[in-house]
Amino acid sequence: MPPELRQRVWPVLIGATARRQSAEGTAGGSSMLYHSLVARYEAGGAHGTQIRKDIGRTLPGERTCINTPEGLRVLERILGAFSEFDGWYGYCQSM
């Protein structure tokens, strides 16, 4: 298979494309689920204080796309969404 086609063909062959389309077509869908979890977190999620405390210590002194003000906001939203998604595990430093 030509390398330039692999990225498009493999998801179809293993069924990932169909599963993604099915999930997006159901009530909620993966994007809507993520946004609802972020909204719950931002409305007062149980782990917000700890996540915000730890975010500032993420990759100190490193020059990465994450270690920018916008990158750290994105990382906080992802960690907050996960902490809402998995209430048993919640959040721990170094996730």
Side-chain angles (χ1 to χ4, degrees):
M1 175 180 316
E4 63 273 7
L5 291 178
R6 289 180 184 166
Q7 186 176 4
R8 290 185 298 190
V9 173
W10 276 111
V12 173
L13 292 176
I14 65 171
T17 301
R19 285 193 300 273
R20 184 180 322 113
Q21 290 170 343
S22 175
E24 290 170 355
T26 61
S30 59
S31 178
M32 292 178 69
L33 173 61
Y34 170 74
H35 291 294
S36 70
L37 292 168
V38 169
R40 278 186 9 206
Y41 167 74
E42 291 176 342
H47 302 282
T49 301
Q50 190 62 48
I51 290 172
R52 284 187 289 282
K53 185 189 299 184
D54 292 341
I55 284 290
R57 300 184 280 207
T58 301
L59 303 170
E62 297 292 323
R63 299 177 84 179
T64 67
C65 61
I66 293 174
N67 207 8
T68 64
E70 177 58 23
L72 295 175
R73 283 191 295 273
V74 169
L75 182 58
E76 179 185 354
R77 286 192 301 270
I78 291 169
L79 293 171
F82 180 81
S83 72
E84 293 295 319
F85 177 75
D86 188 337
W88 180 85
Y89 192 79
Y91 168 78
C92 75
Q93 189 175 12
S94 299
M95 284 180 81

